[in-house]
Amino acid sequence: MSSLSQPDPLRLETVARAHTVVIKVGTNVLADATGQLDRYRIQSLADQLSRVRAGGRKVVLVTSGAIGAGVGKLGLAKRPTDLPQLQACAAVGQSALMQLYQESLAPHGVHTAQILLTAGDFDSRARYLNVRNTIRTLFEYGALPIINENDTVAVAEIKFGDNDHLAAMVTNLLRAPLLVLLTNVDGLYSDDPRSNSDAKLVATVPNIDRSVTELAANTKSALGTGGMKSKLRAARLATAAGESVVMANGSLDGILDRVFAGEPVGTLFLPHGDDVPAWKRWLGFTARPKGTLRIDEGATRAVVEQGKSLLPVGVTAVEGEFGKGDVVAICDAAGVEIGRGLSNYSAEDAQLLRGKQTDQIVSLLGSVPYPELVHRDNLVVVS
């Protein structure tokens, strides 16, 4: 396929580093308005995926579409809102979705591998590592891992919320240098292009700050669960850990070919965090906190600017129920999360110790197991 625009040096550098790629495709890219899977689009996606792989890259596909496909298969007028009905649609649609992927990739000699996940698989360190080992082994076999949320069993407590977030977590899991979010819009705009004809496509985002998040319109599609806000949250999660993200219109023919040719299509989000070691990726960006430690300004400076541990004296409030070794969020005086870490104490003991000097611990607990509530080695700054 011939390029429609000249390659951009920054884009070329980004894709050149991408030895491993996570590609997420949304429901509206795969299905029409009635929920029926679009065979032409899936075949086109499969053809492009095979070309990306032919370049020597390891590729993971995170796909939506199971519930939407089930809606179409069952002849429903619209997407249900009742949980059992959604799960039933997912059960019907998932097999149809995977069958189409396999049929579309078979001419390229590519075997597909289905992986269904819930957020609980990422909360557990052991299961988290098992997922990573499985994907790496599939790479060795030359298979294409196709990942979706396990909607047939997921409930609110174990849902990712949307597959954009799931894709970002898989990106961090694999330390993949590039995440490509294929959606039904061209990228991030300066305003909603549907209501403002003067809205401009934002080509590059160096840092996802408040000015960027305010550009996201709070919209949802008829079949999908995401929107621009969810995509920006996913992009922020990936870029904070040192990865790049491209958001582009998956409905356009040859869009992946153009992305990997370095063309300036869609929006490129640049990494704005240091490359984070695997252990701290799980701690800071994957496992969900079971509680919260609110800290004062002095403790915030010590943790964020000086790289120190969190001592009891800097803690102003303890929220949630957690045990020793559980992941906790660390929030500043304004309630903004600035870090995550493993607590050395249970919530009950942390409540006793908050605001106290280290030398007071022995009088409160009878001993000093740890002088810190969260040791620096088990703490990740995420602000």
Side-chain angles (χ1 to χ4, degrees):
M1 172 182 171
S2 61
S3 292
L4 301 181
S5 58
Q6 290 299 313
D8 173 72
L10 182 57
R11 301 290 185 111
L12 285 172
E13 181 183 351
T14 298
V15 298
R17 291 197 308 264
H19 52 79
T20 303
V21 183
V22 176
I23 298 171
K24 183 265 178 178
V25 59
T27 300
N28 286 297
V29 175
L30 301 174
D32 59 26
T34 67
Q36 297 288 343
L37 292 174
D38 189 323
R39 288 177 174 269
Y40 171 81
R41 287 186 181 177
I42 292 178
Q43 184 63 62
S44 175
L45 175 63
D47 295 342
Q48 293 176 80
L49 288 171
S50 69
R51 289 193 285 271
V52 175
R53 285 163 47 92
R57 294 183 175 89
K58 299 179 177 69
V59 178
V60 173
L61 178 65
V62 176
T63 181
S64 300
I67 293 178
V71 170
K73 280 282 188 180
L74 294 171
L76 305 181
K78 61 180 181 179
R79 178 189 177 100
T81 56
D82 179 75
L83 179 59
Q85 293 180 15
L86 286 170
Q87 291 173 327
C89 286
V92 171
Q94 182 64 30
S95 58
L97 182 63
M98 286 301 300
Q99 181 179 356
L100 274 179
Y101 277 129
Q102 182 60 67
E103 291 175 353
S104 300
L105 285 159
H108 301 285
V110 177
H111 295 292
T112 58
Q114 175 178 263
I115 302 176
L116 300 177
L117 301 172
T118 68
D121 296 317
F122 287 81
D123 289 340
S124 163
R125 177 70 178 163
R127 286 156 65 186
Y128 174 82
L129 294 175
N130 285 340
V131 172
R132 187 178 69 186
N133 292 339
T134 298
I135 294 173
R136 286 179 173 176
T137 303
L138 289 170
F139 286 155
E140 293 175 6
Y141 286 140
L144 173 67
I146 299 181
I147 298 176
N148 198 358
E149 182 165 13
N150 193 350
D151 290 311
T152 60
V153 300
V155 294
E157 291 78 10
I158 58 172
K159 284 184 69 66
F160 294 100
D162 55 70
N163 274 353
D164 298 316
H165 187 68
L166 170 58
M169 293 174 74
V170 172
T171 301
N172 282 341
L173 168 73
L174 297 174
R175 302 182 72 173
L178 179 61
L179 166 63
V180 180
L181 298 173
L182 296 181
T183 181
N184 62 341
V185 295
D186 291 334
L188 178 67
Y189 278 85
S190 59
D191 199 358
D192 190 338
R194 295 170 302 179
S195 57
N196 182 357
S197 59
D198 293 327
K200 305 296 184 185
L201 180 67
V202 181
T204 306
V205 176
N207 184 28
I208 304 175
D209 55 20
R210 180 170 294 181
S211 67
V212 174
T213 58
E214 287 176 351
L215 298 178
N218 188 18
T219 58
K220 290 187 177 181
S221 63
L223 293 170
T225 58
M228 189 56 66
K229 285 188 175 181
S230 79
K231 287 165 181 58
L232 287 183
R233 284 194 298 268
R236 185 173 185 177
L237 179 62
T239 56
E243 325 297 7
S244 299
V245 178
V246 172
M247 183 193 308
N249 192 336
S251 303
L252 299 178
D253 288 340
I255 189 62
L256 279 180
D257 293 322
R258 298 182 66 190
V259 168
F260 286 93
E263 291 188 33
V265 292
T267 301
L268 170 64
F269 299 87
L270 298 176
H272 57 85
D274 297 329
D275 185 33
V276 180
W279 153 250
K280 289 201 170 182
R281 283 172 183 261
W282 174 79
L283 176 59
F285 301 101
T286 302
R288 294 175 299 176
K290 294 189 176 180
T292 301
L293 301 176
R294 294 187 180 271
I295 62 178
D296 59 27
E297 293 182 2
T300 300
R301 286 194 299 272
V303 169
V304 175
E305 300 174 14
Q306 301 169 13
K308 294 185 176 180
S309 299
L310 177 60
L311 302 177
V313 67
V315 178
T316 59
V318 178
E319 302 171 0
E321 297 182 4
F322 54 88
K324 174 185 173 183
D326 283 343
V327 178
V328 292
I330 301 171
C331 296
D332 63 15
V336 177
E337 185 178 4
I338 57 95
R340 292 184 184 182
L342 300 181
S343 177
N344 282 335
Y345 293 92
S346 68
E348 183 180 1
D349 287 344
Q351 193 70 256
L352 287 174
L353 299 179
R354 69 179 179 88
K356 303 295 192 299
Q357 296 288 342
T358 302
D359 58 11
Q360 296 177 276
I361 296 178
V362 67
S363 63
L364 292 167
L365 300 181
S367 63
V368 187
Y370 306 95
E372 316 89 358
L373 269 181
V374 180
H375 192 277
R376 187 68 203 186
D377 290 346
N378 296 323
L379 192 156
V380 179
V381 174
V382 299
S383 61

